[in-house]
Amino acid sequence: ADTHGRWDASFKPIGLGEPFNIKIKCPTKEITLGNVVAGEVWICSGQSNMEWPVRAAGNPAEEIGNGNWPMIRHVRIEHIASPGKLDDVINSGWQVCTPQTVGDFTATGYFFGRKLHQELEVPIGLLHTSWGGTIIETWISPESLKEHADFSEAVERIAASAANPAEQERQANQSRLWQEAFRAALDDHSDEWQKPELDDSDWKKIDVPGNWESQGYGDLDGVAWYRRKFKVPAKWIGKKTTLSVAKIDDMDQTYVNGRQVGGLADWTARRKYELSADLLKNEENTIAIRVTDNNGGGGIHGEADNVFIQLENEPPISLAGQWNFKPGTRTASLGPRPQPAFNGPNHPTLLYNAMINPILPFKARGVIWYQGESNAGRAYQYRTLMPMLVNDWRDKFDQDLSFYWVQLANFMAPADLPGNSQWAELREAQTMSLDVPKTGQAVIIDIGEANDIHPKNKQDVGNRLALIALAQDYGKNIEYSGPMYKSIEIDGGKARLAFDHSEGLMSKGDKLQRFEVAGIDRKFVWADAVIDGEEVVVSSPEVPHPVAVRYAWSDNPEGCNLYNAAGLPASPFRTDNWKGITQYE
């Protein structure tokens, strides 16, 4: 070890196989690390759609119940931002994938890793370092980002604030210690108060829905539990049902008969969780909800009509009314959270310094990245930032990492007429970044949700990322991409489009949708589009002399339906290079 107690050990490649132990010995102590496996490590990073856990993704009860994959391992790097580079991070430790742990895994990363494990039959390690709502420039190193004209001054300012290492270390340690205490405090009772057999007869009563501040708990920030019993008709037993508990401020872990069925970290989101057919009993059933509130209002809120359990095509059974209630840990006992000089993650380089720099010694096959929503208003700038991130991490990790990302899903209200879109321009910037070698893009323009920036279908997201890795890293002879625009040829009043990954072009629906065409006046109108072999022919009687075509060019191009024979959707594109709404120069 050096004078700071740091040391490392490098090994020759270790063969895949059964778990093994590593022993570390010194004259006074011996430590054994057990159940170690050697396998493929992938770094999972980005913003909230990468952070989104399995317990909040689609079909959570079934996914969690089937989450027994001892050769899949997951480690989560906890949130911390720093103007100076850190060497250490708080982390969960490597967790073995079981029904008890998988609910908190990154959903996108888990479904990606599960597909790889099923196909390759080797251990998969998911190193998860992400933070919801973050901008891409916070994940880039100061050495690289200072070369970008838009950020050079900001990087210098942040570096100056980090020039006092002792103060930075003091602030970072304070923040770490508080966060460790916070997590430890919020873990209390998590293995007992959800149990159906728990005697909660001495708990207080509380109305659901209704924030707890309005019911005598005005000083409660932290954890509280809700419980109630209910019965269902005998004919419901053995069938899938839906549990709705309105909205919950801020986060929930929801259990039915002791099994976790869901959980979200969004105080504005309605909670609707599918219950598997084997969950309900022909007797009393128990719901237990662990609610964590960071500040402000807390508890189950919303409309009483949205608190129910229901079998499809049957009238719902209301669960509104009085529930049993008991506060757990109050975070006020921890004191105020220390605030570093740069509060929050959305400043250039801060998350690289705190959540990437400490993991640089790790060796990995590659990175999966899900981010971009927070940069949509600066989509043109993203054309340079995304390649910079890829090359920066490859340089810092000293590895030729494969780098695969998720293109933004469809989101917000569908457009009735052709027009401009920041989200379309961000998708274009992501696609342009494929010019960097050893990159790939999972297109999910068909599985977004108009009213939710966090699509629940993370299964297809992870699987589509895995197809890229299986083809490009592991030599599988499979199609891994939907159609990608290649070229345009104007033939009279028609535009003929050619594509890569075009085998078996098909329309999911009666006819192709969301194609638009413009003439020299640059006014786009909806167009007719037909498949001709491996090409698409686009035309409109309103545009006798077309010069440009766009496809799925909006925030939410609902109904876009061009696919290939592999069932993968075409990436949105435009054939023109006319100035967009995010290009300010």
Side-chain angles (χ1 to χ4, degrees):
D2 65 17
T3 56
H4 299 284
R6 301 188 188 93
W7 62 276
D8 60 54
S10 298
F11 300 88
K12 294 179 180 179
I14 298 171
L16 303 171
E18 295 300 314
F20 55 88
N21 296 335
I22 295 178
K23 289 186 177 181
I24 305 165
K25 299 174 68 173
C26 71
T28 59
K29 193 172 184 179
E30 178 178 310
I31 298 171
T32 299
L33 307 177
N35 194 17
V36 182
V37 293
E40 296 290 275
V41 176
W42 285 83
I43 298 165
C44 311
S45 190
Q47 57 181 108
S48 56
N49 271 306
M50 181 60 78
E51 193 170 18
W52 208 252
V54 172
R55 57 180 162 78
N59 202 14
E62 183 175 340
E63 294 293 5
I64 290 171
N66 293 330
N68 188 27
W69 299 95
M71 289 297 104
I72 298 177
R73 310 293 173 90
H74 177 277
V75 60
R76 177 191 172 104
I77 306 301
E78 296 297 337
H79 291 172
I80 187 167
S82 173
K85 291 181 180 177
L86 304 182
D87 294 324
D88 299 309
V89 288
I90 305 169
N91 65 87
S92 65
W94 284 104
Q95 295 179 306
V96 177
C97 180
T98 69
Q100 289 71 46
T101 62
V102 71
D104 290 326
F105 287 14
T106 159
T108 295
Y110 169 66
F111 296 123
F112 167 81
R114 185 177 69 182
K115 179 70 171 176
L116 293 189
H117 178 61
Q118 291 170 329
E119 295 291 332
L120 303 174
E121 298 183 341
V122 301
I124 302 294
L126 304 170
L127 200 169
H128 176 205
T129 178
S130 65
W131 192 328
T134 53
I135 51 180
I136 191 172
E137 56 265 34
T138 193
W139 294 99
I140 300 175
S141 77
E143 293 82 9
S144 292
L145 195 61
K146 71 180 181 181
E147 301 301 323
H148 196 296
D150 294 345
F151 298 99
S152 57
E153 291 185 10
V155 171
E156 289 180 7
R157 255 193 336 268
I158 292 169
S161 76
N164 185 340
E167 176 61 17
Q168 291 303 321
E169 186 172 357
R170 185 190 69 81
Q171 290 186 9
N173 285 338
Q174 281 188 327
S175 181
R176 286 196 196 95
L177 291 172
W178 192 94
Q179 192 163 347
E180 286 175 342
F182 178 78
R183 285 184 58 81
L186 298 189
D187 281 343
D188 69 343
H189 311 299
S190 60
D191 293 327
E192 49 186 282
W193 286 5
Q194 86 276 21
K195 294 179 179 178
E197 64 270 20
L198 178 76
D199 181 5
D200 57 12
S201 59
D202 62 341
W203 286 28
K204 302 294 185 182
K205 301 293 184 181
I206 195 168
D207 288 332
V208 172
N211 281 354
W212 61 51
E213 282 82 359
S214 64
Q215 302 185 65
Y217 298 92
D219 62 344
L220 175 56
D221 286 328
V223 170
W225 283 78
Y226 292 75
R227 289 172 56 93
R228 71 158 291 161
K229 306 281 188 184
F230 68 96
K231 292 184 177 180
V232 298
K235 65 181 179 179
W236 288 25
I237 306 305
K239 298 178 181 178
K240 291 183 178 180
T241 53
T242 298
L243 173 66
S244 173
V245 280
K247 301 177 181 180
I248 297 178
D249 190 351
D250 294 306
M251 297 171 279
D252 72 292
Q253 291 169 257
T254 298
Y255 302 82
V256 174
N257 292 335
R259 186 190 303 176
Q260 186 170 348
V261 297
L264 289 175
D266 182 351
W267 70 275
T268 66
R270 182 178 169 188
R271 269 60 169 183
K272 288 185 73 174
Y273 301 131
E274 294 181 9
L275 308 186
S276 60
D278 64 341
L279 190 53
L280 296 184
K281 301 180 293 185
N282 193 18
E283 53 192 63
E284 275 196 330
N285 297 275
T286 302
I287 302 174
I289 303 178
R290 180 181 189 267
V291 178
T292 303
D293 178 52
N294 292 322
N295 52 61
I300 303 174
H301 66 106
E303 302 296 327
D305 289 346
N306 289 332
V307 184
F308 61 82
I309 189 164
Q310 185 175 30
L311 177 68
E312 188 175 7
N313 298 322
E314 292 282 329
I317 296 174
S318 175
L319 299 175
Q322 287 199 325
W323 289 47
N324 292 340
F325 179 79
K326 190 171 185 177
T329 297
R330 297 172 185 258
T331 55
S333 63
L334 304 176
R337 181 170 187 163
Q339 300 295 333
F342 285 86
N343 181 30
N346 277 336
H347 300 275
T349 76
L350 296 196
L351 296 193
Y352 173 86
N353 292 336
M355 296 176 67
I356 299 299
N357 191 70
I359 65 173
L360 292 182
F362 278 90
K363 300 300 179 187
R365 171 71 71 160
V367 177
I368 56 172
W369 173 260
Y370 197 157
Q371 190 277 338
E373 297 91 339
S374 292
N375 284 85
R378 295 181 283 121
Y380 186 77
Q381 184 189 66
Y382 205 86
R383 296 181 181 189
T384 54
L385 290 175
M386 187 70 217
M388 177 177 282
L389 175 80
V390 175
N391 291 320
D392 179 47
W393 284 22
R394 287 175 176 171
D395 177 64
K396 297 301 183 182
F397 278 93
D398 193 24
Q399 298 172 74
D400 190 21
L401 297 167
S402 296
F403 214 108
Y404 308 138
W405 56 81
V406 183
Q407 190 188 69
L408 293 191
N410 49 310
F411 175 56
M412 297 179 281
D416 294 329
L417 297 172
N420 293 311
S421 163
Q422 293 179 349
W423 276 52
E425 292 184 21
L426 195 286
R427 296 186 194 107
E428 178 182 52
Q430 292 175 309
T431 301
M432 293 171 71
S433 300
L434 292 172
D435 289 341
V436 180
K438 289 191 67 177
T439 57
Q441 175 174 262
V443 175
I444 59 167
I445 200 66
D446 57 336
I447 59 175
E449 300 177 28
N451 299 316
D452 195 341
I453 201 171
H454 305 114
K456 300 301 183 294
N457 181 359
K458 295 295 191 286
Q459 288 88 339
D460 280 335
V461 180
N463 287 339
R464 289 176 187 179
L465 285 167
L467 290 177
I468 307 171
L470 289 169
Q472 298 193 169
D473 293 278
Y474 302 111
K476 300 290 185 179
N477 185 23
I478 56 174
E479 179 58 274
Y480 61 89
S481 172
M484 300 289 295
Y485 166 72
K486 181 170 64 175
S487 64
I488 181 173
E489 179 183 341
I490 304 299
D491 182 11
K494 297 181 178 181
R496 183 173 290 272
L497 306 175
F499 298 85
D500 292 318
H501 304 281
S502 58
E503 182 176 350
L505 282 187
M506 60 177 288
S507 165
K508 288 194 175 181
D510 294 337
K511 63 178 183 177
L512 291 174
Q513 304 282 351
R514 290 289 172 171
F515 279 87
E516 51 192 87
V517 65
I520 196 67
D521 60 0
R522 301 189 177 188
K523 294 180 180 178
F524 282 93
V525 299
W526 296 125
D528 296 319
V530 295
I531 295 171
D532 183 11
E534 295 189 359
E535 297 182 326
V536 174
V537 180
V538 181
S539 64
S540 169
E542 298 180 52
V543 184
H545 303 291
V547 299
V549 174
R550 294 179 177 181
Y551 170 69
W553 194 262
S554 66
D555 298 335
N556 182 3
E558 189 176 70
C560 62
N561 58 351
L562 178 61
Y563 289 76
N564 60 16
L568 296 172
S571 176
F573 66 88
R574 59 173 177 160
T575 68
D576 62 274
N577 61 358
W578 299 334
K579 185 175 181 179
I581 57 174
T582 64
Q583 183 178 350
Y584 301 116
E585 56 193 47

